[in-house]
Amino acid sequence: MAAVVQTRALTKRYGRARGVEDLDLEVAPGTIFGFLGPNGAGKSTTIRTLLDFQRPTSGEARVFGLDSRRDSVAIHRRVGYLPGELTLYDRLTGREHVRLLAGPRRAASPAVVDALVERFGVELDRPVRDLSKGNRQKVGLVLAFMHEPELLVLDEPTSGLDPLMQDEFLRLLRETAAEGRTVLLSSHSLDEVQRVADRVSLIRDGRLVVTATIAELQAQVPRSVALSFESPVAPGEFAGLPGVTDVVADGDRALTLSVTGPVDPVVKAAARHTTVEITAQPADLETLFLRYYRGPDGGGGDGR
Amino acid sequence: MGGDLARVDLRMRRRSTVAYAVGLALYTLVVVVLYPAFKDATSLDETINQSPGLAALFGVSGSITSPDGWMNANLYANFLPLIVLMLTIGYGAAALAGEEEAGRIDLVLALPLSRRAILLQKAAVLLVLDVVVVVPTVLAVFAGRAFEIDLAAGPVLTCTLGVVLLGAAFGVLALAIGGGTGQRGGAIGITAALAAAAYLLSSLAPQVPALKSWRPLSPFYWSVGNGQLSAGLGWDGLAVLVALCAAALVAAVIVFDRHDVRA
């Protein structure tokens, strides 16, 4: 299946300031793609280039197989966009935004609008200036979803939403993907992305650091496995097993291992003894991401 | 067509534009009502004859006690273009650069509209505001017939058209600078400075021999600076002003299409 979003060596520089460098992204149809990175890493720059708000310095971006620059109007017709920093017309109500920004070329579906209003408790009839940040964000969600676009480009969509609404919103994203539509979800929150995304790209200093499924990432993270036995066991028996990076003995009958990847070799080795207890901590992606965020090179800044 | 975009802008400016238009018309009414009290004040004309340089600063030349001289000196040579330019330059700078600075332009750029279509809608709004703001004033000028301001309708209308085109040319220039840079303050500053220079060139040139031959460079000369209120706009003036508007519009389309709109 052709990718819905595809960039090749996409580069955007602002004079000497950093933008994004050599970005290769691919988002498959019907999936939720998590675009993760610290603030200022280049997430919004990438999105703004995809939507032709800015032009690439080099490389190319394609959406639905169309050129981001030449075919931007055709692309926009099929995209719903929620800006990272949403600013609305203060004096207009949400409903007026819906009417004026829908326009005859991209009609809003009243049923979709009503369903969203119901579901998120959107206040469409008060001027936007009277709404809290969260309620404005909800108006932005309606504007992004109202015409049932094939691709949703959401830049930090849950900012300002309370936890209940965040949950509801993530559910909406899953339903959207289940209908075969595609979501590009930019976020700095690992937790959020982890809960819905099929694939994740991590960007740091304008460069992609890693692209993988959540499961693949989890497989990279060492997990801590604690074993206790009825009789003494030599730590050396476990130290050489595939995936085991660290063995700590607690007395002569208990061990704590760091295991990356499948735990099968550990389980098989443990089975040779009378094992009293096995506890395993789930892989902690947070640790992995913090490591990626900080960078492997310990701060060699070439990402200009 | 997506003319909804224009509707948003018109709606957002409805109140301030009506205020401008009514204020300008009220001022004009005061000017025409006062005319009978001044029409025999020959000492005013003498003062102008004695210090033509000072009078030129206000765009005034010749007699100001005649009906056309009076309306020219009090309205068409200075106050009317000033107010119209404030409105058009203000909107021109706000329409793209102001929206970009406010962060609101993202929602508009994400619509299935080309940059050119967006820009043309903004230019259309500018022209509408530009026309709307002078209409009550023209009515007030014609109301002057009750106060011995018996100007011919043709020159009044074409000279007003000259002011509208003058406003459009500078307004679209502000739109172009704002659309190309994303900076509202810069767009206002540069355009207003150019307009001020053009005004001074047109009004002072008759008094400064060195400047005389440069006078046709000023758009003011082609709209209000050359007796248009008495003689009408003239085809040459119309052509120059329309060409300026068109040139500014083409420039605006090109630079806005190339502009990187940053977050």
Side-chain angles (χ1 to χ4, degrees):
Chain A
M1 272 193 289
V4 172
V5 176
Q6 184 162 45
T7 70
R8 277 202 206 94
L10 184 69
T11 298
K12 177 70 196 173
R13 299 190 196 100
Y14 305 108
R16 301 181 60 197
R18 184 181 63 222
V20 295
E21 195 75 35
D22 233 355
L23 216 64
D24 291 310
L25 270 185
E26 204 172 310
V27 181
T31 62
I32 301 179
F33 188 89
F35 197 28
L36 267 172
N39 296 327
K43 303 191 294 288
S44 292
T45 299
T46 307
I47 287 177
R48 299 177 78 78
T49 310
L50 286 175
L51 295 177
D52 195 41
F53 298 176
Q54 311 182 335
R55 281 59 195 261
T57 307
S58 63
E60 64 164 6
R62 297 193 154 267
V63 182
F64 308 117
L66 302 168
D67 184 73
S68 69
R69 177 93 172 83
R70 222 180 32 243
D71 306 315
S72 63
V73 174
I75 291 172
H76 289 178
R77 204 169 287 137
R78 299 159 70 183
V79 169
Y81 169 58
L82 180 68
E85 277 177 38
L86 177 71
T87 318
L88 301 164
Y89 297 93
D90 268 350
R91 272 151 52 189
L92 302 184
T93 65
R95 205 173 293 285
E96 287 168 316
H97 278 84
V98 167
R99 202 181 62 230
L100 295 166
L101 291 173
R105 289 221 255 173
R106 196 175 67 167
S109 151
V112 173
V113 172
D114 290 347
L116 287 167
V117 166
E118 175 92 357
R119 187 166 179 178
F120 290 97
V122 189
E123 304 224 35
L124 274 192
D125 294 311
R126 285 168 61 187
V128 163
R129 64 162 170 247
D130 294 342
L131 300 180
S132 66
K133 179 166 188 327
N135 282 327
R136 287 177 197 207
Q137 191 72 6
K138 291 180 193 170
V139 172
L141 293 179
V142 172
L143 295 176
F145 280 83
M146 64 184 179
H147 52 294
E148 300 186 279
E150 292 164 63
L151 169 67
L152 285 138
V153 178
L154 309 169
D155 199 351
E156 306 277 354
T158 57
S159 75
L161 296 184
D162 64 49
L164 274 176
M165 284 298 143
Q166 288 188 16
D167 280 355
E168 193 58 45
F169 177 69
L170 296 181
R171 217 166 298 143
L172 173 67
L173 292 189
R174 283 190 215 103
E175 294 166 15
T176 304
E179 290 166 12
R181 300 193 274 151
T182 310
V183 178
L184 174 56
L185 169 67
S186 145
S187 176
H188 63 264
S189 155
L190 169 65
D191 179 58
E192 183 174 295
V193 167
Q194 194 176 351
R195 284 163 61 193
V196 292
D198 301 296
R199 282 175 80 76
V200 172
S201 267
L202 191 114
I203 186 170
R204 186 178 61 87
D205 285 347
R207 287 173 187 275
L208 280 192
V209 183
V210 63
T211 301
T213 64
I214 295 287
E216 286 165 355
L217 287 173
Q218 271 165 342
Q220 291 180 29
V221 188
R223 147 188 37 184
S224 144
V225 179
L227 302 159
S228 66
F229 305 98
E230 209 169 70
S231 45
V233 168
E237 249 186 80
F238 290 89
L241 295 173
V244 174
T245 48
D246 190 30
V247 180
V248 178
D250 178 15
D252 57 4
R253 295 171 192 210
L255 298 172
T256 304
L257 317 175
S258 287
V259 185
T260 309
V263 291
D264 185 62
V266 174
V267 173
K268 296 231 162 94
R272 293 199 292 268
H273 304 274
T274 309
T275 310
V276 178
E277 199 177 348
I278 302 183
T279 52
Q281 304 286 336
D284 183 13
L285 279 182
E286 199 85 28
T287 324
L288 179 73
F289 275 100
L290 287 175
R291 213 166 66 207
Y292 277 130
Y293 274 20
R294 290 198 194 100
D297 49 347
D302 62 338
R304 293 293 104 178
Chain B
M1 265 296 289
D4 289 3
L5 206 55
R7 246 171 44 212
V8 178
D9 275 22
L10 285 173
R11 158 106 204 256
M12 302 310 282
R13 278 176 177 74
R14 192 166 55 194
R15 234 180 298 175
S16 64
T17 309
V18 167
Y20 263 102
V22 169
L24 195 56
L26 286 176
Y27 167 84
T28 306
L29 275 180
V30 171
V31 169
V32 300
V33 167
L34 288 179
Y35 177 63
F38 283 91
K39 72 182 171 81
D40 299 318
T42 43
S43 60
L44 268 180
D45 283 340
E46 279 161 27
T47 311
I48 285 169
N49 285 333
Q50 276 156 24
S51 49
L54 184 66
L57 266 178
F58 297 96
V60 175
S61 56
S63 161
I64 73 163
T65 54
S66 66
D68 47 352
W70 177 255
M71 293 312 286
N72 192 55
N74 285 305
L75 187 68
Y76 277 86
N78 37 52
F79 199 66
L80 182 62
L82 175 75
I83 296 295
V84 166
L85 284 169
M86 275 171 62
L87 186 86
T88 57
I89 293 175
Y91 174 75
L96 294 171
E99 291 296 289
E100 181 174 344
E101 284 179 356
R104 262 195 306 262
I105 205 167
D106 284 16
L107 288 174
V108 171
L109 291 178
L111 293 173
L113 292 172
S114 66
R115 292 272 180 108
R116 187 188 350 189
I118 293 170
L119 186 117
L120 291 178
Q121 290 205 29
K122 300 284 185 182
V125 170
L126 193 145
L127 196 61
V128 169
L129 297 178
D130 191 10
V131 170
V132 163
V133 79
V134 299
V135 167
T137 295
V138 172
L139 296 177
V141 172
F142 287 133
R145 292 183 171 172
F147 301 90
E148 300 175 53
I149 305 248
D150 48 355
L151 297 178
V156 168
L157 290 175
T158 61
C159 184
T160 308
L161 175 66
V163 175
V164 167
L165 290 173
L166 181 76
F170 281 105
V172 175
L173 181 63
L175 191 63
I177 297 172
T181 63
Q183 300 191 359
R184 178 171 165 269
I188 290 182
I190 293 171
T191 315
L194 283 172
Y199 170 76
L200 286 178
L201 176 60
S202 169
S203 45
L204 291 184
Q207 304 300 322
V208 184
L211 285 180
K212 229 168 214 159
S213 57
W214 297 96
R215 206 172 169 217
L217 285 180
S218 169
F220 277 82
Y221 170 77
W222 296 104
S223 59
V224 294
N226 196 25
Q228 283 90 342
L229 190 57
S230 323
L233 182 63
W235 291 107
D236 52 351
L238 182 68
V240 167
L241 293 169
V242 168
L244 283 176
C245 289
L249 191 61
V250 169
V253 166
I254 292 171
V255 296
F256 182 54
D257 193 54
R258 292 179 178 196
H259 177 55
D260 274 348
V261 178
R262 296 180 66 171

